[in-house]
Amino acid sequence: TPAGCFPDFTEMMKALGYPRLISMENFRTPNFMLVSEVLLWLVKRYEPQTDIPPDVETEQDRVFFIKAVAQFMATKAHIKLNTKKLYQADGYAVKELLKVTSVLYSAMNTKGMERTEVSEEDSSKFKFDLGSKVADLKAARQLASEITSKGASLYDLLGKEVELREARTESIARPLEINEAEKMMKIAIDNILEQVQKTKDMLNNVALDEANLEARIEKRKLELEISQKRLQTLQSVRPAFMDEYEKIEEELQKQYSSYLEKFHNLSYMEQLLDDHRRTEQEMFE
């Protein structure tokens, strides 16, 4: 039963260094704020640099928060969470939280920290930064790949050193011809002068390009002003269907409250049915 999960869950959270004390009474009724706080704290344990938004004020924010946490746990820790039970934020949500705390608690014990010997000061110092380890692993793989490729290139170049040494020795031993050197210098000077002329032409065209860009910017500014005025006009006009929309939205809120109540009742009845079937099976056996 969910109530049986509380002793292990509270002890694990205490050992992991959670700053608050958690008791069974906290989950007698749905307590989404506490569940979201615990979930965010556990996510930070896995990856301190995570960017999951902590906003849970509206229904949309809560749904987005639960989905983001479930996706994070599935991809980073390979833990599958039941989003419906987490959203209920009652005793059944503790069973889902226990999946995460069990992994963290096991990881802490593998580092030599006995459960009976862990104090509050030691547990507060415990850090489980999985994201940094993954980043280090990726960097190590990349460096290993670069070392392999550069080693292969170096091996090929050293293999050609015998032929290159002969060609280099022959070139050094050959006497320098003034006419050939003068010819090569003239070719290099002509290339540099050509590049200088191209650069001057580009500088001369900069003024023309700048004038064209300024004209385009002014045109865009005028279009922006017209669009802003049109937007202000549209925002000041109330659509004809807004009254009907607000009425339907109020009715939807009532229907959602009814649905939520029936969903809780259905979950409770399913649990009673499972207990009854289990009792019958035990009596039959």
Side-chain angles (χ1 to χ4, degrees):
T1 61
C5 303
F6 280 98
D8 294 337
F9 175 71
T10 55
E11 291 297 328
M12 288 182 182
M13 291 297 293
K14 182 179 179 181
L16 291 174
Y18 187 67
R20 290 178 52 184
L21 294 177
I22 303 176
S23 65
M24 186 183 302
E25 299 298 328
N26 297 128
F27 297 95
R28 289 292 185 184
T29 57
N31 191 347
F32 193 88
M33 298 303 295
L34 179 58
V35 171
S36 62
E37 180 182 343
V38 172
L39 281 173
L40 189 61
W41 186 84
L42 292 174
V43 168
K44 293 291 185 181
R45 278 295 193 182
Y46 271 99
E47 187 171 341
Q49 304 301 327
T50 185
D51 56 351
I52 296 178
D55 299 331
V56 291
E57 297 297 331
T58 63
E59 297 173 6
Q60 290 81 2
D61 292 339
R62 294 183 178 186
V63 172
F64 178 80
F65 176 81
I66 293 295
K67 288 183 178 180
V69 171
Q71 183 178 3
F72 173 85
M73 287 299 174
T75 55
K76 296 292 185 180
H78 303 289
I79 300 175
K80 185 178 181 181
L81 300 177
N82 190 318
T83 54
K84 289 185 178 180
K85 291 185 178 179
L86 285 177
Y87 192 83
Q88 287 180 226
D90 52 9
Y92 296 101
V94 178
K95 298 176 67 176
E96 303 302 316
L97 296 174
L98 192 60
K99 297 178 182 178
V100 184
T101 55
S102 299
V103 176
L104 284 173
Y105 188 76
S106 300
M108 183 179 67
N109 286 337
T110 56
K111 290 189 175 183
M113 300 177 67
E114 295 294 335
R115 181 177 179 179
T116 57
E117 297 178 358
V118 176
S119 63
E120 291 186 5
E121 182 179 0
D122 295 334
S123 61
S124 63
K125 296 179 181 179
F126 173 71
K127 300 293 182 183
F128 189 76
D129 190 357
L130 184 62
S132 62
K133 301 298 181 183
V134 174
D136 294 341
L137 179 59
K138 290 181 179 179
R141 288 179 177 176
Q142 184 177 1
L143 290 175
S145 178
E146 292 179 0
I147 291 173
T148 304
S149 61
K150 291 186 180 299
S153 301
L154 181 61
Y155 179 79
D156 294 337
L157 294 174
L158 290 176
K160 299 178 181 179
E161 174 62 19
V162 178
E163 300 177 0
L164 295 176
R165 186 187 300 113
E166 295 178 358
R168 185 170 60 252
T169 304
E170 183 180 355
S171 299
I172 294 174
R174 187 174 57 187
L176 181 62
E177 296 182 2
I178 302 299
N179 295 330
E180 184 178 356
E182 185 179 358
K183 181 180 179 180
M184 297 300 296
M185 289 297 294
K186 287 182 178 179
I187 294 174
I189 291 172
D190 293 338
N191 292 332
I192 292 176
L193 291 175
E194 184 179 357
Q195 293 179 4
V196 170
Q197 186 62 36
K198 289 182 179 179
T199 304
K200 289 182 178 179
D201 294 338
M202 292 175 62
L203 290 174
N204 293 330
N205 294 329
V206 166
L208 181 60
D209 295 338
E210 185 178 359
N212 293 333
L213 289 175
E214 289 180 354
R216 293 174 61 184
I217 291 172
E218 291 296 331
K219 183 179 178 181
R220 295 295 183 185
K221 286 182 178 179
L222 293 175
E223 293 178 356
L224 177 60
E225 291 178 359
I226 295 173
S227 299
Q228 288 179 346
K229 290 180 180 179
R230 186 179 301 173
L231 177 61
Q232 292 176 358
T233 304
L234 293 175
Q235 288 178 345
S236 61
V237 177
R238 179 180 175 86
F241 58 83
M242 282 302 297
D243 295 336
E244 183 180 0
Y245 173 79
E246 293 177 354
K247 182 178 180 181
I248 294 175
E249 189 176 15
E250 293 178 0
E251 183 66 23
L252 178 61
Q253 184 67 27
K254 295 179 182 179
Q255 293 294 335
Y256 178 77
S257 300
S258 177
Y259 162 77
L260 191 62
E261 181 180 358
K262 292 179 180 180
F263 180 80
H264 279 103
N265 293 336
L266 179 61
S267 300
Y268 177 72
M269 295 301 292
E270 288 178 351
Q271 181 64 30
L272 291 179
L273 181 59
D274 291 340
D275 295 341
H276 181 68
R277 288 176 177 174
R278 192 181 301 108
T279 304
E280 288 185 348
Q281 183 66 25
E282 292 177 355
M283 292 176 64
F284 179 75
E285 293 177 355

mmCIF file of all heavy atoms in Angstrom, residues 77-104:
data_model
loop_
_atom_site.group_PDB
_atom_site.id
_atom_site.type_symbol
_atom_site.label_atom_id
_atom_site.label_comp_id
_atom_site.label_asym_id
_atom_site.label_seq_id
_atom_site.Cartn_x
_atom_site.Cartn_y
_atom_site.Cartn_z
ATOM 1 N N ALA A 77 18.173 9.261 -16.339
ATOM 2 C CA ALA A 77 18.340 8.204 -15.333
ATOM 3 C C ALA A 77 17.674 6.900 -15.720
ATOM 4 O O ALA A 77 17.753 5.920 -14.971
ATOM 5 C CB ALA A 77 17.780 8.674 -13.990
ATOM 6 N N HIS A 78 16.972 6.861 -16.873
ATOM 7 C CA HIS A 78 16.265 5.657 -17.324
ATOM 8 C C HIS A 78 15.256 5.179 -16.283
ATOM 9 O O HIS A 78 15.131 3.982 -16.010
ATOM 10 C CB HIS A 78 17.261 4.542 -17.648
ATOM 11 C CG HIS A 78 18.284 4.933 -18.677
ATOM 12 N ND1 HIS A 78 17.979 5.113 -20.016
ATOM 13 C CD2 HIS A 78 19.611 5.231 -18.556
ATOM 14 C CE1 HIS A 78 19.068 5.469 -20.675
ATOM 15 N NE2 HIS A 78 20.076 5.559 -19.816
ATOM 16 N N ILE A 79 14.546 6.125 -15.684
ATOM 17 C CA ILE A 79 13.514 5.816 -14.698
ATOM 18 C C ILE A 79 12.168 6.235 -15.275
ATOM 19 O O ILE A 79 11.980 7.394 -15.638
ATOM 20 C CB ILE A 79 13.768 6.546 -13.362
ATOM 21 C CG1 ILE A 79 15.117 6.117 -12.774
ATOM 22 C CG2 ILE A 79 12.648 6.269 -12.374
ATOM 23 C CD1 ILE A 79 15.486 6.885 -11.519
ATOM 24 N N LYS A 80 11.226 5.310 -15.379
ATOM 25 C CA LYS A 80 9.908 5.594 -15.935
ATOM 26 C C LYS A 80 8.951 5.941 -14.799
ATOM 27 O O LYS A 80 8.734 5.153 -13.886
ATOM 28 C CB LYS A 80 9.391 4.381 -16.715
ATOM 29 C CG LYS A 80 8.070 4.639 -17.420
ATOM 30 C CD LYS A 80 7.633 3.429 -18.226
ATOM 31 C CE LYS A 80 6.313 3.705 -18.950
ATOM 32 N NZ LYS A 80 5.861 2.528 -19.728
ATOM 33 N N LEU A 81 8.388 7.140 -14.850
ATOM 34 C CA LEU A 81 7.475 7.625 -13.819
ATOM 35 C C LEU A 81 6.053 7.692 -14.359
ATOM 36 O O LEU A 81 5.831 7.991 -15.534
ATOM 37 C CB LEU A 81 7.907 9.016 -13.330
ATOM 38 C CG LEU A 81 9.300 9.120 -12.709
ATOM 39 C CD1 LEU A 81 9.616 10.560 -12.348
ATOM 40 C CD2 LEU A 81 9.413 8.241 -11.490
ATOM 41 N N ASN A 82 5.087 7.431 -13.480
ATOM 42 C CA ASN A 82 3.671 7.528 -13.832
ATOM 43 C C ASN A 82 3.227 8.970 -13.594
ATOM 44 O O ASN A 82 3.107 9.429 -12.457
ATOM 45 C CB ASN A 82 2.847 6.560 -12.971
ATOM 46 C CG ASN A 82 1.414 6.450 -13.454
ATOM 47 O OD1 ASN A 82 0.785 7.445 -13.812
ATOM 48 N ND2 ASN A 82 0.897 5.238 -13.474
ATOM 49 N N THR A 83 2.982 9.697 -14.678
ATOM 50 C CA THR A 83 2.660 11.126 -14.560
ATOM 51 C C THR A 83 1.321 11.359 -13.882
ATOM 52 O O THR A 83 1.134 12.341 -13.164
ATOM 53 C CB THR A 83 2.663 11.772 -15.948
ATOM 54 O OG1 THR A 83 1.774 11.044 -16.817
ATOM 55 C CG2 THR A 83 4.062 11.746 -16.544
ATOM 56 N N LYS A 84 0.340 10.461 -14.095
ATOM 57 C CA LYS A 84 -0.975 10.636 -13.465
ATOM 58 C C LYS A 84 -0.873 10.541 -11.948
ATOM 59 O O LYS A 84 -1.477 11.332 -11.220
ATOM 60 C CB LYS A 84 -1.954 9.596 -14.004
ATOM 61 C CG LYS A 84 -2.362 9.832 -15.453
ATOM 62 C CD LYS A 84 -3.429 8.842 -15.883
ATOM 63 C CE LYS A 84 -3.877 9.105 -17.320
ATOM 64 N NZ LYS A 84 -4.921 8.144 -17.760
ATOM 65 N N LYS A 85 -0.115 9.558 -11.476
ATOM 66 C CA LYS A 85 0.029 9.401 -10.023
ATOM 67 C C LYS A 85 0.812 10.562 -9.424
ATOM 68 O O LYS A 85 0.526 10.996 -8.310
ATOM 69 C CB LYS A 85 0.706 8.072 -9.706
ATOM 70 C CG LYS A 85 -0.167 6.861 -10.013
ATOM 71 C CD LYS A 85 0.491 5.574 -9.583
ATOM 72 C CE LYS A 85 -0.403 4.376 -9.852
ATOM 73 N NZ LYS A 85 0.227 3.098 -9.451
ATOM 74 N N LEU A 86 1.813 11.058 -10.161
ATOM 75 C CA LEU A 86 2.545 12.227 -9.667
ATOM 76 C C LEU A 86 1.630 13.443 -9.585
ATOM 77 O O LEU A 86 1.713 14.239 -8.649
ATOM 78 C CB LEU A 86 3.731 12.525 -10.580
ATOM 79 C CG LEU A 86 4.941 11.601 -10.469
ATOM 80 C CD1 LEU A 86 5.988 11.983 -11.498
ATOM 81 C CD2 LEU A 86 5.542 11.656 -9.076
ATOM 82 N N TYR A 87 0.738 13.601 -10.567
ATOM 83 C CA TYR A 87 -0.156 14.752 -10.574
ATOM 84 C C TYR A 87 -1.169 14.661 -9.433
ATOM 85 O O TYR A 87 -1.648 15.690 -8.935
ATOM 86 C CB TYR A 87 -0.878 14.837 -11.922
ATOM 87 C CG TYR A 87 -1.594 16.148 -12.128
ATOM 88 C CD1 TYR A 87 -0.913 17.268 -12.577
ATOM 89 C CD2 TYR A 87 -2.950 16.284 -11.856
ATOM 90 C CE1 TYR A 87 -1.549 18.470 -12.766
ATOM 91 C CE2 TYR A 87 -3.599 17.490 -12.034
ATOM 92 C CZ TYR A 87 -2.891 18.582 -12.497
ATOM 93 O OH TYR A 87 -3.537 19.776 -12.677
ATOM 94 N N GLN A 88 -1.512 13.431 -9.005
ATOM 95 C CA GLN A 88 -2.441 13.292 -7.880
ATOM 96 C C GLN A 88 -1.844 13.867 -6.594
ATOM 97 O O GLN A 88 -2.569 14.366 -5.734
ATOM 98 C CB GLN A 88 -2.777 11.818 -7.662
ATOM 99 C CG GLN A 88 -3.690 11.245 -8.735
ATOM 100 C CD GLN A 88 -4.007 9.781 -8.494
ATOM 101 O OE1 GLN A 88 -3.945 8.970 -9.386
ATOM 102 N NE2 GLN A 88 -4.352 9.433 -7.273
ATOM 103 N N ALA A 89 -0.517 13.767 -6.474
ATOM 104 C CA ALA A 89 0.206 14.381 -5.342
ATOM 105 C C ALA A 89 -0.275 13.856 -3.999
ATOM 106 O O ALA A 89 -0.348 14.589 -3.015
ATOM 107 C CB ALA A 89 0.095 15.903 -5.400
ATOM 108 N N ASP A 90 -0.610 12.569 -3.935
ATOM 109 C CA ASP A 90 -1.028 11.970 -2.664
ATOM 110 C C ASP A 90 -0.110 10.786 -2.360
ATOM 111 O O ASP A 90 1.047 10.765 -2.793
ATOM 112 C CB ASP A 90 -2.502 11.554 -2.734
ATOM 113 C CG ASP A 90 -2.790 10.680 -3.947
ATOM 114 O OD1 ASP A 90 -1.817 10.267 -4.610
ATOM 115 O OD2 ASP A 90 -3.972 10.402 -4.222
ATOM 116 N N GLY A 91 -0.641 9.803 -1.642
ATOM 117 C CA GLY A 91 0.182 8.664 -1.267
ATOM 118 C C GLY A 91 0.695 7.873 -2.453
ATOM 119 O O GLY A 91 1.788 7.296 -2.407
ATOM 120 N N TYR A 92 -0.084 7.836 -3.545
ATOM 121 C CA TYR A 92 0.369 7.097 -4.717
ATOM 122 C C TYR A 92 1.542 7.791 -5.404
ATOM 123 O O TYR A 92 2.341 7.146 -6.088
ATOM 124 C CB TYR A 92 -0.784 6.912 -5.707
ATOM 125 C CG TYR A 92 -1.896 6.065 -5.137
ATOM 126 C CD1 TYR A 92 -3.051 6.647 -4.631
ATOM 127 C CD2 TYR A 92 -1.778 4.686 -5.093
ATOM 128 C CE1 TYR A 92 -4.074 5.883 -4.097
ATOM 129 C CE2 TYR A 92 -2.796 3.904 -4.562
ATOM 130 C CZ TYR A 92 -3.946 4.502 -4.069
ATOM 131 O OH TYR A 92 -4.944 3.734 -3.544
ATOM 132 N N ALA A 93 1.637 9.096 -5.242
ATOM 133 C CA ALA A 93 2.771 9.817 -5.812
ATOM 134 C C ALA A 93 4.074 9.463 -5.095
ATOM 135 O O ALA A 93 5.154 9.526 -5.688
ATOM 136 C CB ALA A 93 2.531 11.325 -5.742
ATOM 137 N N VAL A 94 3.974 9.082 -3.816
ATOM 138 C CA VAL A 94 5.166 8.708 -3.071
ATOM 139 C C VAL A 94 5.819 7.464 -3.670
ATOM 140 O O VAL A 94 7.049 7.330 -3.695
ATOM 141 C CB VAL A 94 4.808 8.481 -1.586
ATOM 142 C CG1 VAL A 94 6.038 8.040 -0.793
ATOM 143 C CG2 VAL A 94 4.249 9.750 -0.978
ATOM 144 N N LYS A 95 4.982 6.522 -4.185
ATOM 145 C CA LYS A 95 5.528 5.321 -4.812
ATOM 146 C C LYS A 95 6.369 5.677 -6.031
ATOM 147 O O LYS A 95 7.376 5.016 -6.315
ATOM 148 C CB LYS A 95 4.398 4.381 -5.209
ATOM 149 C CG LYS A 95 3.578 3.879 -4.027
ATOM 150 C CD LYS A 95 2.408 3.040 -4.481
ATOM 151 C CE LYS A 95 2.855 1.750 -5.114
ATOM 152 N NZ LYS A 95 1.722 0.884 -5.484
ATOM 153 N N GLU A 96 5.975 6.734 -6.762
ATOM 154 C CA GLU A 96 6.764 7.174 -7.909
ATOM 155 C C GLU A 96 8.038 7.891 -7.449
ATOM 156 O O GLU A 96 9.107 7.707 -8.038
ATOM 157 C CB GLU A 96 5.922 8.095 -8.801
ATOM 158 C CG GLU A 96 4.634 7.482 -9.290
ATOM 159 C CD GLU A 96 4.859 6.206 -10.068
ATOM 160 O OE1 GLU A 96 5.784 6.194 -10.915
ATOM 161 O OE2 GLU A 96 4.154 5.218 -9.833
ATOM 162 N N LEU A 97 7.922 8.705 -6.392
ATOM 163 C CA LEU A 97 9.107 9.383 -5.874
ATOM 164 C C LEU A 97 10.120 8.381 -5.333
ATOM 165 O O LEU A 97 11.337 8.609 -5.403
ATOM 166 C CB LEU A 97 8.711 10.364 -4.774
ATOM 167 C CG LEU A 97 7.827 11.546 -5.185
ATOM 168 C CD1 LEU A 97 7.403 12.339 -3.962
ATOM 169 C CD2 LEU A 97 8.544 12.445 -6.170
ATOM 170 N N LEU A 98 9.618 7.268 -4.803
ATOM 171 C CA LEU A 98 10.505 6.257 -4.236
ATOM 172 C C LEU A 98 11.402 5.628 -5.300
ATOM 173 O O LEU A 98 12.509 5.186 -5.001
ATOM 174 C CB LEU A 98 9.673 5.172 -3.547
ATOM 175 C CG LEU A 98 10.419 4.178 -2.656
ATOM 176 C CD1 LEU A 98 11.108 4.923 -1.530
ATOM 177 C CD2 LEU A 98 9.461 3.148 -2.088
ATOM 178 N N LYS A 99 10.929 5.602 -6.569
ATOM 179 C CA LYS A 99 11.764 5.059 -7.644
ATOM 180 C C LYS A 99 13.046 5.877 -7.797
ATOM 181 O O LYS A 99 14.127 5.332 -8.028
ATOM 182 C CB LYS A 99 10.992 5.063 -8.959
ATOM 183 C CG LYS A 99 9.750 4.173 -8.965
ATOM 184 C CD LYS A 99 9.032 4.298 -10.295
ATOM 185 C CE LYS A 99 7.762 3.467 -10.324
ATOM 186 N NZ LYS A 99 7.026 3.615 -11.615
ATOM 187 N N VAL A 100 12.913 7.204 -7.678
ATOM 188 C CA VAL A 100 14.066 8.084 -7.852
ATOM 189 C C VAL A 100 14.966 8.059 -6.622
ATOM 190 O O VAL A 100 16.186 7.947 -6.723
ATOM 191 C CB VAL A 100 13.599 9.519 -8.157
ATOM 192 C CG1 VAL A 100 14.797 10.420 -8.441
ATOM 193 C CG2 VAL A 100 12.637 9.525 -9.330
ATOM 194 N N THR A 101 14.357 8.157 -5.454
ATOM 195 C CA THR A 101 15.168 8.182 -4.235
ATOM 196 C C THR A 101 15.913 6.874 -4.026
ATOM 197 O O THR A 101 17.025 6.866 -3.494
ATOM 198 C CB THR A 101 14.268 8.471 -3.017
ATOM 199 O OG1 THR A 101 13.202 7.501 -2.980
ATOM 200 C CG2 THR A 101 13.668 9.856 -3.116
ATOM 201 N N SER A 102 15.332 5.744 -4.465
ATOM 202 C CA SER A 102 16.015 4.457 -4.312
ATOM 203 C C SER A 102 17.309 4.429 -5.111
ATOM 204 O O SER A 102 18.341 3.938 -4.641
ATOM 205 C CB SER A 102 15.091 3.324 -4.755
ATOM 206 O OG SER A 102 13.922 3.288 -3.965
ATOM 207 N N VAL A 103 17.264 4.968 -6.345
ATOM 208 C CA VAL A 103 18.474 4.984 -7.169
ATOM 209 C C VAL A 103 19.543 5.875 -6.549
ATOM 210 O O VAL A 103 20.723 5.505 -6.461
ATOM 211 C CB VAL A 103 18.121 5.451 -8.600
ATOM 212 C CG1 VAL A 103 19.384 5.569 -9.437
ATOM 213 C CG2 VAL A 103 17.149 4.494 -9.253
ATOM 214 N N LEU A 104 19.147 7.062 -6.097
ATOM 215 C CA LEU A 104 20.107 7.965 -5.470
ATOM 216 C C LEU A 104 20.678 7.368 -4.182
ATOM 217 O O LEU A 104 21.874 7.476 -3.907
ATOM 218 C CB LEU A 104 19.433 9.305 -5.168
ATOM 219 C CG LEU A 104 19.209 10.242 -6.356
ATOM 220 C CD1 LEU A 104 18.378 11.433 -5.921
ATOM 221 C CD2 LEU A 104 20.511 10.703 -6.943
#
